[in-house]
Amino acid sequence: MRRPLFLSAAVAGTASPALAHDAGSAVWTSWFGDPPVEALLAILLALYLTGLVTMLSSRHQKWAVSKGRVLAFFAAVLALVLALLSPVDALSEELFSVHMFQHLLLILAVAPLLAYSNGHLVVLRAFSISTRRSIGQAIAAIPGMKQAAHKEVAAWIAAGLFVTTMWFWHIPAAYDWALGNEAVHVCEHITLLVAATFFWRVVLTSGKRRLSPAMAVVLVSLVGIQGSFLSALIMFAPHPLYAAYSGNGLDDQVLAGVLMCIPASFVYLGSTIWALSRMLGNSRTHVR
């Protein structure tokens, strides 16, 4: 009998047969079971749609974002639903490999799509001009914010925060802490998503203000290398690293490391090639 979810089939061999059977049988009942996440997502969608309608109904204002960026925002929402409101979330409590897949969805799918979408520009249109000005003034009043918007050091800070967040939440004590406390678990997901979105935003805007395409190549390569190192530590650990998954055996942990290494490597490689192509394109323009 085929399993109802491809992911459960992929990880079934990594856990005990009983665990795999239980995870598969309950998978269809695990959609939309987190009211706080659903409420926050509903608010975000309401603000975005309001802002989008406001832009479309304006005759004198151009779109703040392209249609491709609008599609990117909705793709990010779908990926967020898959990560946090689908059977993936339920299975992540039983299988480390699925929990890793959930984290990868957040940092390699949701975050870059949000960073590319310029969704914040659309959301701001849901508010009045005076409110938007107040928000802008409040952000500008944050110490160092104006300087960070145009300084290259901001890119390195973004990369450092992303790497630090990744490593912190994969320390066994911190990981088990998050699994044992729902509030901490929510904090884990939020910090991973925010740090990753900040990082990808810096990469995607390279060449425009704070980061040159050449430095973007270096930055993404360094982040990719440290990610591979972290995945190797997980893959080749001689014993289970996380108490919550210690009963699953090492196969589940090895699969988690493989998932962390291979998909992430392709994303980082693609980002490096993209930044490199922009760098070469700029060089040819200057030569002409």
Side-chain angles (χ1 to χ4, degrees), residues 153-215:
V153 68
W156 293 98
I157 292 174
L161 286 174
F162 178 46
V163 170
T164 300
T165 304
M166 278 290 297
W167 279 80
F168 175 78
W169 287 119
H170 288 88
I171 296 172
Y175 206 102
D176 291 332
W177 180 37
L179 289 174
N181 187 304
E182 184 60 28
V184 177
H185 200 186
V186 171
C187 181
E188 175 193 36
H189 287 162
I190 291 175
T191 53
L192 281 172
L193 181 57
V194 170
T197 302
F198 185 20
F199 169 73
W200 288 115
R201 178 70 181 172
V202 166
V203 172
L204 291 172
T205 57
S206 62
K208 296 180 179 179
R209 42 183 185 177
R210 64 172 73 88
L211 186 68
S212 67
M215 291 309 299

Side-chain angles (χ1 to χ4, degrees), residues 117-151:
S117 72
N118 281 345
H120 61 291
L121 298 179
V122 181
V123 169
L124 284 173
R125 293 297 182 92
F127 301 96
S128 64
I129 294 178
S130 60
T131 302
R132 295 203 298 267
R133 286 175 179 170
S134 298
I135 293 173
Q137 291 170 356
I139 294 175
I142 299 174
M145 184 59 67
K146 288 184 178 180
Q147 293 79 3
H150 301 281
K151 297 293 184 179

Side-chain angles (χ1 to χ4, degrees), residues 4-283:
L5 186 69
F6 79 94
L7 187 57
S8 65
V11 302
T14 70
S16 66
L19 179 61
H21 179 269
D22 291 341
S25 62
V27 70
W28 289 115
T29 64
S30 303
W31 288 89
F32 297 97
D34 196 336
V37 174
E38 294 166 20
L40 289 173
L41 195 57
I43 293 172
L44 175 62
L45 280 172
L47 290 174
Y48 188 88
L49 290 173
T50 301
L52 196 61
V53 170
T54 301
M55 286 193 303
L56 289 174
S57 61
S58 175
R59 297 180 179 180
H60 305 290
Q61 294 179 344
K62 295 182 179 180
W63 277 50
V65 293
S66 66
K67 294 180 181 179
R69 293 183 188 272
V70 173
L71 291 176
F73 176 83
F74 286 110
V77 171
L78 288 177
L80 195 59
V81 169
L82 178 60
L84 301 179
L85 296 175
S86 80
V88 169
D89 189 54
L91 287 170
S92 69
E93 297 180 3
E94 305 293 337
L95 296 169
F96 179 38
S97 51
V98 181
H99 202 168
M100 183 64 74
F101 176 70
Q102 183 185 50
H103 285 178
L104 292 175
L105 277 175
L106 292 175
I107 67 174
L108 299 181
V110 179
L113 285 169
L114 283 178
Y116 174 75
S117 72
N118 281 345
H120 61 291
L121 298 179
V122 181
V123 169
L124 284 173
R125 293 297 182 92
F127 301 96
S128 64
I129 294 178
S130 60
T131 302
R132 295 203 298 267
R133 286 175 179 170
S134 298
I135 293 173
Q137 291 170 356
I139 294 175
I142 299 174
M145 184 59 67
K146 288 184 178 180
Q147 293 79 3
H150 301 281
K151 297 293 184 179
E152 188 174 291
V153 68
W156 293 98
I157 292 174
L161 286 174
F162 178 46
V163 170
T164 300
T165 304
M166 278 290 297
W167 279 80
F168 175 78
W169 287 119
H170 288 88
I171 296 172
Y175 206 102
D176 291 332
W177 180 37
L179 289 174
N181 187 304
E182 184 60 28
V184 177
H185 200 186
V186 171
C187 181
E188 175 193 36
H189 287 162
I190 291 175
T191 53
L192 281 172
L193 181 57
V194 170
T197 302
F198 185 20
F199 169 73
W200 288 115
R201 178 70 181 172
V202 166
V203 172
L204 291 172
T205 57
S206 62
K208 296 180 179 179
R209 42 183 185 177
R210 64 172 73 88
L211 186 68
S212 67
M215 291 309 299
V217 172
V218 175
L219 199 65
V220 174
S221 299
L222 290 176
V223 170
I225 290 172
Q226 66 78 34
S228 297
F229 182 59
L230 178 57
S231 65
L233 290 178
I234 293 173
M235 272 191 292
F236 298 112
H239 55 79
L241 295 175
Y242 307 102
Y245 303 115
S246 58
N248 295 354
L250 284 177
D251 289 343
D252 183 32
Q253 185 167 285
V254 170
L255 179 57
V258 171
L259 286 173
M260 186 179 191
C261 179
I262 297 178
S265 296
F266 280 111
V267 173
Y268 293 134
L269 178 61
S271 302
T272 301
I273 293 174
W274 172 81
L276 188 60
S277 66
R278 292 192 65 190
M279 181 182 68
L280 296 176
N282 290 344
S283 299

